[in-house]
Amino acid sequence: MIEINELFKELANELSTEGKQVGNTREILNKQFVLNDLENNVLTLKCRHNAMLYAIGELIWYWSGRNDVDFIDHFSKFWRNISDDGKTANSAYGYIIKYKHGFDQLECVINELKRNPDSRRAIININTPSMYRMVTRDTQCTMFLHYYIRDNKLCSTATMRSNDFIKGLTFDITYFTELQKYIAHRLGLECGSYTHFDTSFHTYDSDRELVDKILNETEEVKVKYHTELLWNKEFLDKVIDKVDNHWIDKKDFEQYCIDIGLIEYFE
């Protein structure tokens, strides 16, 4: 059964050996892969460990349903740099799912699968029609997330128009599988497979050194991320309050996450 660290090493190898040069990227078209082990859904390769605190910050931001860049700015300036108005993000997936369309798409998926376990209609739409798609600095890479029950397990498929290996997939896969785990929990089911499909799967030339590091990495950080704690609103609110009102720096926030059990290092 493939796990996330092994998967990323395989993908790094494919991009290096099979990717075709397109502009300033190496690209594989119509790439699909399957992840079966969702228990540990955060990358723990040593060369990517510094980036994983951002993954936790992004997960908290998404789970809160917010789209302000002030919150995520604590973890990375990336979102403010691509924001059209300097205040909000078009690709804040949690906001899109919970609030953008006037209803909670996540709850609709859960209700649909409760109503009909054989349903093929349990879909969360991320990228929706917009006349500004060609001019915005931030258009959603994800098209939709599809949830379906097979063999009494909740499976899912993410369909992407575009996905950057380093700055996109590293974090997308954590959030998308976290959604799957949460929905399965609400339905009283185990998780099945997670399938990921990219029309354009690529890595930027500026990140080639990091791709090589992933490919050749032999060490893993001994850490466990208890991301399921964020499903509890009271717990989530406390973490959000820490970021909003008591932020010092990333090192302090990491220690806070250790203290509350969100991050656990072990020997």
Side-chain angles (χ1 to χ4, degrees), residues 168-180:
L169 180 65
T170 304
F171 313 112
D172 290 340
I173 198 169
T174 297
Y175 180 53
F176 296 161
T177 54
E178 196 65 19
L179 284 173
Q180 183 177 346

Side-chain angles (χ1 to χ4, degrees), residues 11-12 19 26 58 123 141 147 155 157 164 193 214 255 264:
L11 292 173
R26 288 184 67 84
E58 186 181 82
I123 290 176
C141 294
Y147 300 92
C155 303
T157 298
D164 168 36
S193 61
I214 291 172
Q255 184 59 54
E264 178 186 5

Side-chain angles (χ1 to χ4, degrees), residues 220-223 264-267:
E220 298 180 8
V221 178
K222 294 182 178 180
V223 60
E264 178 186 5
Y265 289 100
F266 55 94
E267 295 298 326

Side-chain angles (χ1 to χ4, degrees), residues 60-87:
I60 295 165
W61 187 48
Y62 285 161
W63 216 250
S64 72
R66 289 166 55 168
N67 67 344
D68 62 301
V69 297
D70 285 344
F71 180 93
I72 199 65
D73 223 21
H74 292 295
F75 300 92
S76 172
K77 303 300 182 183
F78 169 80
W79 289 98
R80 191 175 298 278
N81 291 338
I82 67 169
S83 170
D84 289 332
D85 61 7
K87 298 178 180 179

Side-chain angles (χ1 to χ4, degrees), residues 63 98 104 106-107 110 147 154 175-189 191 228 230-232:
W63 216 250
K98 290 177 176 290
D104 190 334
L106 182 59
E107 291 300 317
I110 293 169
Y147 300 92
L154 181 73
Y175 180 53
F176 296 161
T177 54
E178 196 65 19
L179 284 173
Q180 183 177 346
K181 289 163 61 178
Y182 175 74
I183 295 169
H185 171 74
R186 289 279 301 274
L187 295 173
L189 298 174
C191 283
E228 69 282 354
L230 298 173
W231 301 351
N232 181 284

